[in-house]
Amino acid sequence: MQVVTISFFRYDNWASRLEALSQMARGRYALKTVPGLEFFKLLGTGSDEGFNPRPNVNVNAILCVWPDMATAKAGLKGSITHRTLRDHSCEAYTIYLTPTSARGMWSGVEPLKVTEKAEPGPLAVLTRATVKLPIALQFWKHVPQIQKEVAADPTCVFHMGMAEVPWVQQVTFSLWKGTGTMAGFAHGETPHGHAIRAAYGDHWFKEDLYARFKILEEEGTWEGGSPMALLNADARPAAPAPAAPPAAEKPVAEEPAAEKPAKPTKAPKKSRGPKKSKVNA
């Protein structure tokens, strides 16, 4: 089973930011020597969760493709680039995935091999595209509204925009509650749906790739917590609150003596009390 890892690193001082920038250049050579690593990309991020073309020097990422989980674990542990960025970061997070569908190319190759079937429930989605330079401004004018829509969607619990080259080589990664809500956002009558139809109708991209993944596990934290825990909490509908037991029927008060026929010559009979009503469980 092919495993894809995406590692995110956050920095809070300029020494760490400069080291991260250096690794974006030097890391590509070190990563080529990691045993079993089939494909990788060093990625910068944009501001505002990555959907702003202005670079965010506080966060970067590395995407890697491995033949299996054991190789992925050993590779991430032994990678000098990953270790250096972890050591300089104030927060690091890695998510492990396996593709369930993929179409398209990345840098002239098809890096993803689908061997697993999609299952109901949470999923991860990755898109990437090389935007034709004359189209870039038209592409980016759609982004602010799409960003607002993603941020407001409670079924998307994590999203990050990244880039190999700012403005023209874009990557997005997101975690979703399920395929129904994700597909509605991506292809429905939404700003994103309209942009996608325009992009493919007018041939905005030189190259593109779209993939869905089963989520396997995670390491580390992001924004102080676990995206998977948030995803799983959102993915499971809240258990219905237990129904309150029906209120016990109150005994019917005896009619006031004045309303009953008075029988002074006889002693009143002993009351047996109201009959108990049957309450359905």
Side-chain angles (χ1 to χ4, degrees):
M1 177 179 67
Q2 188 183 65
V3 172
V4 176
T5 60
I6 305 180
S7 301
F8 297 94
F9 307 92
R10 191 193 306 278
Y11 314 100
D12 61 358
N13 61 75
W14 279 106
S16 295
R17 294 180 188 117
L18 290 172
E19 179 61 33
L21 184 62
S22 171
Q23 287 297 323
M24 293 293 284
R26 294 186 289 121
R28 67 186 69 254
Y29 301 105
L31 287 168
K32 288 179 179 179
T33 67
V34 176
L37 183 54
E38 299 177 339
F39 182 87
F40 67 86
K41 288 292 178 181
L42 292 142
L43 302 166
T45 66
S47 303
D48 302 328
E49 298 296 339
F51 290 91
N52 187 317
R54 186 175 70 253
N56 178 8
V57 297
N58 297 322
V59 176
N60 65 359
I62 306 177
L63 178 145
C64 296
V65 179
W66 314 88
D68 52 57
M69 182 63 83
T71 305
K73 293 274 189 177
L76 292 182
K77 184 177 180 180
S79 166
I80 295 174
T81 305
H82 285 81
R83 185 165 64 248
T84 301
L85 294 180
R86 282 195 300 269
D87 290 346
H88 282 81
S89 67
C90 62
E91 189 172 38
Y93 176 74
T94 295
I95 189 163
Y96 293 79
L97 315 160
T98 189
T100 57
S101 70
R103 60 171 176 77
M105 309 282 284
W106 197 336
S107 297
V109 301
E110 294 181 346
L112 303 178
K113 301 178 180 64
V114 177
T115 59
E116 304 300 308
K117 293 183 178 180
E119 298 177 357
L123 74 157
V125 176
L126 183 142
T127 69
R128 64 85 46 190
T130 300
V131 184
K132 294 177 181 178
L133 193 56
I135 299 293
L137 289 177
Q138 187 176 355
F139 172 84
W140 281 102
K141 79 176 183 179
H142 290 272
V143 169
Q145 187 57 39
I146 293 172
Q147 177 185 346
K148 290 179 183 178
E149 188 179 9
V150 171
D153 193 326
T155 65
C156 179
V157 303
F158 179 93
H159 53 90
M160 183 69 71
M162 300 169 279
E164 298 171 76
V165 178
W167 288 90
V168 294
Q169 289 188 333
Q170 302 304 309
V171 180
T172 68
F173 178 73
S174 51
L175 300 177
W176 293 84
K177 175 181 176 179
T179 56
T181 52
M182 181 278 301
F185 164 83
H187 304 294
E189 292 301 318
T190 63
H192 186 277
H194 297 157
I196 287 297
R197 286 189 285 276
Y200 286 102
D202 297 337
H203 306 288
W204 290 3
F205 304 145
K206 290 183 179 179
E207 184 184 60
D208 64 281
L209 181 144
Y210 178 85
R212 298 181 185 184
F213 302 87
K214 178 181 178 181
I215 304 164
L216 302 176
E217 60 179 87
E218 64 181 6
E219 289 176 355
T221 65
W222 197 250
E223 296 183 345
S226 159
M228 276 187 71
L230 179 61
L231 180 69
N232 290 333
D234 281 353
R236 289 191 293 268
E249 294 183 4
K250 294 182 179 180
V252 178
E254 293 184 355
E255 296 178 357
E259 296 180 9
K260 292 182 179 180
K263 296 182 180 180
T265 57
K266 295 183 180 180
K269 293 182 179 180
K270 185 177 181 180
S271 173
R272 296 181 181 178
K275 292 183 179 179
K276 295 182 179 179
S277 60
K278 293 183 179 179
V279 179
N280 292 329

